[in-house]
Amino acid sequence: VLFRSVTFNYSIKTKPNYDEARLIIYNLLGEEVENVQMKPDNNKVDINTSNYKPGVYIYKIIADGELLKTDK
């Protein structure tokens, strides 16, 4: 089963008043496949994954240049 979109729910508690936060997704080769600005007044971001090849992806969340989370 291939997913057409994925919703990331997030809470950036360490930086409640951040100016900029981004969700960056990489494939296992380390190539960036998505870079999305996250809004402080919302707690989720929807990603259209219909163009992604099947496989494992790594994501990280950065707020004001500080790495907050990395996961797969």
Side-chain angles (χ1 to χ4, degrees), residues 9-57:
N9 293 308
Y10 61 90
S11 176
I12 302 178
K13 295 177 182 175
T14 59
K15 297 285 254 183
N17 297 316
Y18 63 87
D19 292 321
E20 180 182 27
R22 302 201 77 73
L23 168 69
I24 305 169
I25 301 174
Y26 300 91
N27 63 22
L28 287 181
L29 298 175
E31 300 167 329
E32 186 177 300
V33 295
E34 196 83 42
N35 189 327
V36 179
Q37 184 167 356
M38 301 166 72
K39 298 178 182 171
D41 59 343
N42 195 353
N43 66 344
K44 69 178 179 176
V45 61
D46 293 318
I47 304 293
N48 180 349
T49 59
S50 61
N51 293 329
Y52 287 28
K53 294 179 183 176
V56 176
Y57 292 84

